[in-house]
Amino acid sequence: MVRPSRQQERDVEAETTDAEQEGTRTCPECESENLSVSADQGELICEDCGLVLEEDNVDRGPEWRAFNHSERQQKSRVGAPTTQTMHDKGLTTQIDWKDKDAYGRSISSKKRSQMHRLRKWQERIRTKDAGERNLQFALSEIDRMASALGVPRSVREVASVIYRRALKEDLIRGRSIEGVATSCLYAACRKEGIPRSLEEVAEVSRVDQKEIGRTYRYVAQELSLEMEPVDPKQFVPRFASELGLNEETIAKANEIIDISAEQGLLSGKSPTGFAAAAIYAASLLCNEKKTQREVADVAQVTEVTIRNRYQEQIEAMGFE
């Protein structure tokens, strides 16, 4: 084994210092940037060669140890994380609706009536003015519609942030709270890449589709929301799943959309109708025949739309 000279060691230290100054830490052995910090041992380790770069680092985690989720929940001494989906960001106290004490035993009727009064006044003092009450109502509407649409938690957070921005810019004045809340949810779906059409959002909302579209365009323009055009391929997996189609048909539908879009047929067309026509054409080509009515019901478009888009896509594919 040949030991490195002092000059080589100085060169390695110089390279390490330069890398640290540039903001990219590399392993002196294999020059890999794949470094990780061991939370248990407090060591900086190279994932590729296993070299320990640093040891005895300060552990900034809790002083207790837990080996599963239930232990971690029991030993944790902090509350839930802050969230934008609640008007107070989840920082105020909530009194549980279970009429039981800390040991799980039922409380007496006198204590039960006392807790009922406390709970009622706690709900009242959580909102100090009409503005907070309106915000609470809007965020609860966003949560209700998001649950009905089946969108993930991240979409609700983004929708709540957009609504708070609209409220700060005074865009709510002269418009219904439900309309602005629905348009913010639709904008959040588009920003997060979750395919939900305007018709689907209007079904779970208490305002009509025309008002949602008008409010959405106004909010997006005033808040400078950079919205990309909706890709029809985002709707293909969901529609195909509801129709029970296989992977071959899905791949063929995506291919049809790509070829049609390259020839400029997508401009000015509804993405849901375009996706529905591509699925209908792919089902015929892959011998998984579905009727135009079945596809139209899933995509919530008319059969006429599917026929028109189908003819354009077949011509683009070069079929007679």
Side-chain angles (χ1 to χ4, degrees), residues 137 141 145 176-183 205-207 211-212:
F137 172 68
E141 277 292 291
M145 292 184 291
S176 67
I177 295 175
E178 295 96 330
V180 178
T182 309
S183 64
S205 177
R206 295 193 174 101
V207 293
E211 184 182 346
I212 296 171

Side-chain angles (χ1 to χ4, degrees), residues 5-166:
S5 64
R6 291 188 178 181
Q7 181 62 38
Q8 289 176 333
E9 290 177 352
R10 283 195 294 267
D11 292 342
V12 169
E13 290 176 358
E15 288 174 3
T16 305
T17 306
D18 293 341
E20 288 178 355
Q21 290 175 353
E22 292 172 1
T24 57
R25 188 77 180 273
T26 58
C27 175
E29 287 286 338
C30 62
E31 297 183 355
S32 170
E33 296 182 4
N34 189 15
L35 308 179
S36 65
V37 178
S38 173
D40 297 333
Q41 305 295 330
E43 297 173 339
L44 181 64
I45 305 171
C46 175
E47 291 285 348
D48 293 339
C49 68
L51 178 70
V52 178
L53 278 74
E54 293 180 3
E55 57 184 352
D56 297 330
N57 287 331
V58 177
D59 184 7
R60 302 185 185 277
E63 82 284 358
W64 44 261
R65 291 195 302 169
F67 301 98
N68 54 45
H69 180 70
S70 59
E71 279 190 24
R72 197 173 294 110
Q73 291 292 101
Q74 289 174 357
K75 294 183 177 181
S76 178
R77 297 189 295 272
V78 297
T82 58
T83 173
Q84 299 289 336
T85 59
M86 300 177 71
H87 74 284
D88 53 10
K89 299 185 180 180
L91 296 175
T92 56
T93 304
Q94 279 186 316
I95 301 176
D96 197 6
W97 289 92
K98 299 175 185 176
D99 291 324
K100 295 182 179 181
D101 60 10
Y103 299 99
R105 297 190 295 255
S106 298
I107 58 178
S108 63
S109 58
K110 183 178 179 182
K111 282 285 185 183
R112 205 158 36 237
S113 60
Q114 182 183 3
M115 293 303 297
H116 176 71
R117 289 194 302 272
L118 284 172
R119 197 179 295 120
K120 182 171 64 176
W121 280 105
Q122 175 66 16
E123 285 296 319
R124 287 179 180 176
I125 64 175
R126 284 183 67 189
T127 52
K128 60 183 180 182
D129 53 20
E132 283 199 1
R133 282 194 297 273
N134 291 339
L135 178 61
Q136 184 182 29
F137 172 68
L139 296 179
S140 65
E141 277 292 291
I142 290 174
D143 195 58
R144 178 189 66 81
M145 292 184 291
S147 298
L149 289 171
V151 296
R153 184 81 183 173
S154 61
V155 176
R156 307 181 192 196
E157 292 281 349
V158 173
S160 303
V161 170
I162 294 174
Y163 185 86
R164 288 175 184 272
R165 285 183 59 194

Side-chain angles (χ1 to χ4, degrees), residues 208-244:
D208 60 355
Q209 182 177 333
K210 189 177 292 185
E211 184 182 346
I212 296 171
R214 186 167 56 243
T215 309
Y216 161 72
R217 287 190 294 271
Y218 174 72
V219 170
Q221 181 180 1
E222 291 296 322
L223 296 181
S224 301
L225 301 178
E226 297 179 359
M227 294 294 181
E228 296 181 356
V230 180
D231 188 357
K233 291 196 292 186
Q234 292 180 339
F235 293 95
V236 171
R238 186 158 57 94
F239 293 167
S241 176
E242 293 183 27
L243 290 167

